[in-house]
């Protein structure tokens, strides 16, 4: 079953009076539960693509259809609700909220959806091996711990699809390995689809499929 | 632990984690709200007192008062009111002496039915029992101390001796002003004639207070008004009675209140900068929150919750502060609040202030919070920081803010039209400043572009001021507005001070004798040890000017002076030493037909629009006197020396019924003795000691000045707050700038210099702008409204500019040090890495 699909997706940014076309006619299909790696040179448009797929930004033209719903037709607020319920995101530079501790950061997506599920939060804290750190604030954590917190946060709402933009880009090798291992385990366990941007061929090799972007197109 | 609203928790922790925001926020509000709360409480205490003691303060349900004996019609009406329901009073000044001391009195002769409402409180017998034996008087403390008397002792008033029966503690219907001429002595009307002070007396105030039921009161009021129509007799019901407490303290409190409203507006600007700075800091977190799917309304609500919560907190602190001020500073208000009025922080004031705090916070932070709408969740994917939102305002906001200001002003002034005027005035000022700062920016830009600035650091400083566009506008506008408010207050205060000093110049008379007779001149000159100057006064009314009757003139000329009143005419042979001839060859020309020459004072001649030769017809106590203007005189300076609008030749007036007064300048320490000697020899003469009156007046004005200074201090504090908040709000941008310069290899010393130069250029131009506007405003207010000469406060201006310069250097040094040392290197590393 197709979970996410794009149709002739274009994205351009205005640069002064001119504009640069970053994505030019992207068509992809992602099945539920699928694990897809996206590769490409720096500046090729991977993050831009992810931002469109995750409803963080609107396409210049073309469609993004998530579970039979055209994201382009949704208002800003409807998109926010979508991100809240159906989409998880793990960023290269973690983006934890500095004034919330580990536990609160993880619970935050539930909280904004007016949900309360301490068991789920606790289970995820256990799963990312941060039980001893749950009252710590982000500035007290190592990079690996931060990213594990971010992973737990991304999964707490049981999203249909999880995006990760170079999740190990800011980590050393050991931490990177641990984070990837966790991410993949949790993805398998939850059955969510995973789209991951990476420069690591070894990681890409683990994916069901690899998409390579070049000059704004799939090559 | 994860229960509860995490959104709220995020903003509160971030807010409290950076102590500077809550501190600035609270201080900005605390200062202005606390001041408002104090003044509002004082106002409502006074109002409350007036309302509950209205009848006692007025003295009756209907009161009639005149400087002339009541007419037969009036007496007819009064005679219908039972004796026990009316009090007849005579008030006048007179001298009292005992042993070798004398004192100016304000004597009040009463019927023993006094007071109809309220209580006369005495020292020994507590409440007066309406008994006063013949020859007994009641006096206030001041009389006892000045004449060195105790209860039971005797003193002389006019030609009669009296025994002090008791000391007056509180008089129910005494005007509650702190300042009045003469100490109080109460005697019975039955003893009045014994003093020999009636008859020739020129300034007796006749007053009758009546106790009536509602129906009668209305009828009597109407009848009295009918009977006194067209005369100077004042008839009042207890409703429309204007007691002097509500006049003096009311006006002054309102003046202070308007100052404080200005400070509130300023502190609103401070709030705005603080919140903008905070929101700017929170951009990244907000983008994350949006990316995680938090609805925008929820995001905004967390901010509203925080800020309104802080507003309530600040109000609570302001309440505490005002409580302290009122509890411990009660004596500072003695000049405007009579001791009988009990002071507390009024609940209605607290409610009012809470609403103002919430409204102000909402208005001032609204645009910043609305700018959260533009947060792009995608920003989290790109590490570049968006620039801080500019100082944007929508039309709707401007409308709402104007409306709120208008509502507040109307509430304060108690009048929609006045509120509109003040609001429009404030808006014009704000527009002026915005235009001015726009011009300044343009000027700086063209200076920098045309290469007029050679010194490279100055050039950099100017460029960076210009580049910060919107922030410079905000910074400049608020700083210069704060300076303007402070400057106006200082300049106004200075002018009033100067005025007071010049009212009693060194060589002006300091002793005034009232009700002198022609045959007493020689003896008085002897007692004073020098020749006094005598001024005859003849009372008359104006019948017509230039052939126009007073009614027509009033319609034509407006209400500068009441032309139907009694005027004091005088006569002399030559121009007074305090005056000079402005027009005309001599004081008088010749009599033409039945028209005699009269010399006029220029200010009044201007008002009447008369020229040399124009005709003025007088009615001198029943006799018509035709005169033509023969010269126009002007005074050298204002001051206490007497002056007359109309001066005639002696032969025209010398035989008319007249009273005389005299002035003289003697050594201040001799005045009390001279006063006593005169009181003993001529009991009919009232002596005023100018030096002690001036001193009394000065101490009264000093108290007012002190109050004004306190509130000026508040506005200085608010200005400082704004200065610091705008520094905080622009710190992010400045930091980035410094990092770039550092990266390009600029020396630390130059980095400091650059920052300091920027501050000084901005601060000084704001000072000049705000200062000149303040100067202009004060000039207009003093010359146009108060008709006073304006005097420029050089000393204060110099001091203030030195203080500002010092403050700017210190703050910019501390600030640059903080910015440069703590953060720049991190940022530099980030830029490179
Ligand atoms: N908001 C933006 N405005 C202008 N250009 C942008 C913006 N976002 C991304 N770009 C440009 O789009 C291109 C692709 O960026 P990005 O998707 O971040 O690449 P990648 O993630 O593959 O390294 C880059 O050239 C980048 O400069
Ligand atoms: Mg990228």
């Amino acid at each position: 079953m197709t979970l996410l699909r794009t149709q002739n997706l274009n994205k351009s940014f205005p640069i002064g009076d001119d504009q640069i076309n970053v994505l030019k006619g992207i068509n992809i299909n992602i099945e539920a539960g699928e694990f897809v790696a996206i590769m490409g040179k720096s500046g090729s448009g991977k993050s831009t693509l992810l931002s469109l797929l995750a409803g963080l930004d609107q396409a210049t033209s073309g469609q993004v259809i998530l579970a039979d719903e055209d994201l382009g037709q949704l208002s800003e607020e409807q998109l926010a609700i979508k991100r809240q319920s159906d989409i998880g995101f793990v960023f290269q530079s973690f983006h934890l909220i500095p004034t919330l501790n580990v536990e609160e950061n993880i619970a935050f997506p539930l909280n904004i959806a007016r949900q309360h599920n301490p068991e789920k939060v606790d289970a995820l804290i256990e799963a990312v091996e941060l039980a001893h750190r749950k009252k710590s604030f982000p500035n007290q954590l190592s990079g690996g711990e931060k990213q594990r917190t971010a992973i737990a946060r991304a999964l707490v709402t049981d999203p249909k699809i999880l995006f990760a933009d170079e999740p190990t880009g800011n980590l050393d090798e050991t931490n990177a390995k641990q984070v990837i291992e966790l991410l993949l385990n949790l993805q398998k366990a939850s059955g969510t689809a995973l789209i991951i941007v990476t420069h690591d061929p070894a990681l890409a090799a683990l994916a069901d499929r690899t998409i390579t972007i070049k000059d704004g197109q799939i090559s | 632990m994860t229960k509860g609203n995490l959104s709220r928790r995020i903003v509160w922790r971030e807010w409290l984690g950076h102590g500077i925001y809550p501190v600035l926020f609270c201080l900005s509000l605390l200062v202005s709200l606390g001041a408002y709360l104090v003044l509002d409480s004082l106002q409502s205490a006074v109002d409350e007192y007036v309302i509950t003691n209205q009848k006692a303060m007025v003295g009756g349900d209907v009161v009639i008062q005149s400087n002339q004996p009541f007419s037969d019609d009036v007496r007819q009406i009064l005679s219908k009111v039972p004796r026990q329901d009316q009090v007849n009073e005579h008030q006048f000044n007179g001298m009292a002496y005992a042993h070798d001391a004398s004192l100016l009195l304000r004597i009040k002769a009463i019927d023993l039915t006094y007071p109809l409402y309220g209580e006369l409180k005495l020292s020994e017998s507590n409440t007066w029992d309406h008994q006063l034996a013949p020859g007994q008087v009641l006096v206030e403390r001041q009389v006892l101390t000045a004449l060195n008397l105790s209860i039971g002792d005797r003193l002389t008033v006019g030609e009669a001796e009296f025994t002090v029966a008791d000391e007056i503690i509180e008089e129910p219907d005494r005007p509650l002003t702190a300042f009045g001429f003469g100490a109080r002595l109460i005697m019975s009307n039955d003893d009045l004639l014994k003093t020999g002070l009636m008859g020739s007396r020129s300034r007796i105030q006749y007053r009758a207070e009546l106790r009536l039921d509602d129906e009668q009161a209305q009828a009597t009021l109407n009848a009295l008004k009918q009977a006194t129509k067209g005369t100077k007799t004042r008839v009042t019901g207890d409703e429309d009675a204007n007691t002097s407490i509500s006049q003096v303290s009311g006006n002054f409190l309102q003046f202070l209140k308007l100052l404080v409203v200005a400070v509130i507006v300023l502190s609103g600007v401070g709030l705005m900068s603080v919140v903008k700075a905070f929101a700017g800091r929170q951009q990244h977190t907000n983008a994350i929150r949006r990316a995680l799917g938090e609805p925008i309304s929820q995001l905004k609500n967390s901010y509203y919750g925080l800020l309104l919560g802080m507003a309530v907190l600040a109000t609570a602190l302001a309440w505490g502060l005002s409580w302290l001020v009122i509890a411990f500073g009660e004596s500072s208000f003695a000049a405007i609040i009579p001791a009988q009025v009990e002071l507390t922080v009024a609940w209605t004031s607290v409610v009012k202030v809470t609403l103002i705090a919430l409204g102000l916070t909402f208005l001032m932070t609204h645009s910043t919070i609305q700018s959260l709408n533009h947060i792009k969740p995608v920003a989290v994917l790109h590490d570049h920081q968006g620039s801080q939102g500019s100082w944007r305002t929508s039309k709707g906001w401007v409308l709402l803010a104007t409306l709120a200001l208008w509502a507040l002003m109307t509430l304060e002034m108690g009048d929609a039209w006045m509120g509109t005027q003040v609001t429009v005035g404030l808006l014009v000022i704000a527009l002026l400043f915005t235009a001015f700062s726009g011009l300044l920016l343009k000027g700086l830009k063209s200076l920098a572009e045309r290469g007029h600035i050679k010194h490279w650091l100055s050039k950099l400083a100017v460029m960076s001021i210009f580049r910060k566009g919107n922030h410079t506008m905000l910074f400049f506008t608020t700083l210069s507005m704060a300076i303007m408010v402070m400057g106006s207050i200082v300049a106004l205060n200075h002018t009033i001070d100067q005025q007071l000093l010049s009212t009693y110049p060194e060589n002006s008379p300091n002793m005034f004798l009232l009700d002198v007779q022609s045959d007493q001149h020689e003896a008085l000159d002897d007692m004073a040890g020098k020749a006094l100057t005598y001024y005859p006064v003849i009372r008359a009314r104006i019948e017509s000017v230039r052939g126009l009757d007073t009614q027509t003139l009033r319609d034509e000329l407006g209400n500068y002076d009441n032309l139907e009143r009694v005027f004091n005419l005088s006569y002399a042979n030559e121009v007074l030493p305090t005056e000079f001839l402005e027009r005309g060859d001599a004081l008088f020309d010749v009599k033409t037909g039945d028209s005699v020459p009269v010399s006029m004072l220029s200010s009044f001649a201007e008002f009447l629009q008369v020229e040399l030769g124009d005709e003025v017809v007088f009615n001198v106590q029943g006799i018509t006197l035709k005169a033509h203007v023969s010269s126009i005189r002007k005074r050298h300076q204002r001051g206490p020396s007497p002056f007359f609008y109309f001066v005639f030749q002696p032969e025209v007036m010398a035989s008319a019924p007249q009273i005389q007064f005299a002035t003289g300048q003697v050594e201040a320490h001799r005045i009390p003795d001279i006063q006593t000697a005169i009181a003993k020899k001529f009991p009919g003469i009232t002596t005023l000691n100018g030096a002690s009156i001036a001193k009394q007046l000065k101490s009264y004005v000093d108290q007012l000045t002190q109050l004004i200074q306190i509130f000026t201090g508040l506005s200085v504090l608010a200005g400082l707050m704004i200065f610091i908040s705008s520094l905080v709000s622009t710190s992010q941008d400045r930091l980035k700038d410094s990092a770039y310069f550092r990266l390009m290899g600029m020396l630390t010393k130059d980095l400091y210099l650059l920052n300091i130069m920027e501050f000084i250029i901005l601060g000084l131009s704001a000072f000049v702008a705000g200062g000149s506007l303040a100067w202009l405003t004060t000039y207009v207010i003093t010359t146009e409204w108060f008709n006073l000469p304006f005097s420029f406060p050089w000393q204060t201006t110099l001091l203030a500019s030195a203080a500002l310069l010092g403050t700017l250097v210190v703050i910019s040094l501390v600030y640059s040090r903080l910015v440069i040392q703590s953060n720049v290197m991190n940022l530099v590393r980030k830029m490179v890495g």
Side-chain angles (χ1 to χ4, degrees), chain A residues 13-15 20 22 40-49 165-166, chain B residues 382 384:
Chain A
F13 293 105
I15 299 276
I20 50 164
V22 178
K41 285 200 194 114
S42 179
S44 57
K46 305 181 297 289
S47 296
T48 305
L49 177 61
D165 190 1
E166 301 185 42
Chain B
H382 309 285
H384 72 93

Side-chain angles (χ1 to χ4, degrees), chain B residues 33-54:
Chain B
L33 293 186
Y36 185 91
L37 199 47
V38 168
L39 290 179
D40 205 63
S41 297
L42 296 188
Q43 263 184 337
S44 54
V46 170
D47 289 349
E48 170 89 20
Y49 183 84
V50 170
I51 287 168
T52 48
N53 297 288
Q54 179 96 346

Side-chain angles (χ1 to χ4, degrees), chain A residues 77 83-84 95 99 104 111, chain B residues 4 9 13 290 293 296 380:
Chain A
E77 284 314 272
R83 293 197 295 272
Q84 208 179 78
H95 292 329
T99 44
E104 289 165 338
N111 194 274
Chain B
R9 210 172 288 173
R13 281 188 190 156
R290 290 292 280 142
I296 191 74
V380 292

Side-chain angles (χ1 to χ4, degrees), chain B residues 731-798:
Chain B
S731 63
Q732 220 55 16
D733 277 7
R734 280 169 198 285
L735 188 65
K736 226 179 293 167
D737 274 4
S738 301
Y740 280 120
F741 290 136
R742 194 84 179 131
L743 204 59
M744 293 188 293
M746 192 185 270
L747 297 174
T748 315
K749 183 187 69 150
D750 288 338
L751 216 50
Y752 275 115
L753 212 60
L754 184 66
N755 271 303
I756 292 170
M757 273 166 78
E758 236 191 276
F759 281 131
I760 287 181
I761 293 174
L762 257 183
L764 282 191
S765 40
F767 185 79
V768 170
S772 22
L773 222 87
W775 180 77
L776 202 77
T777 320
T778 322
Y779 179 81
V780 171
I781 289 178
T782 44
T783 56
E784 296 298 312
W785 284 5
F786 295 149
N787 261 316
L788 297 176
F790 176 75
S791 118
F792 190 80
W794 285 110
Q795 214 179 346
T796 324
T797 307
L798 282 178

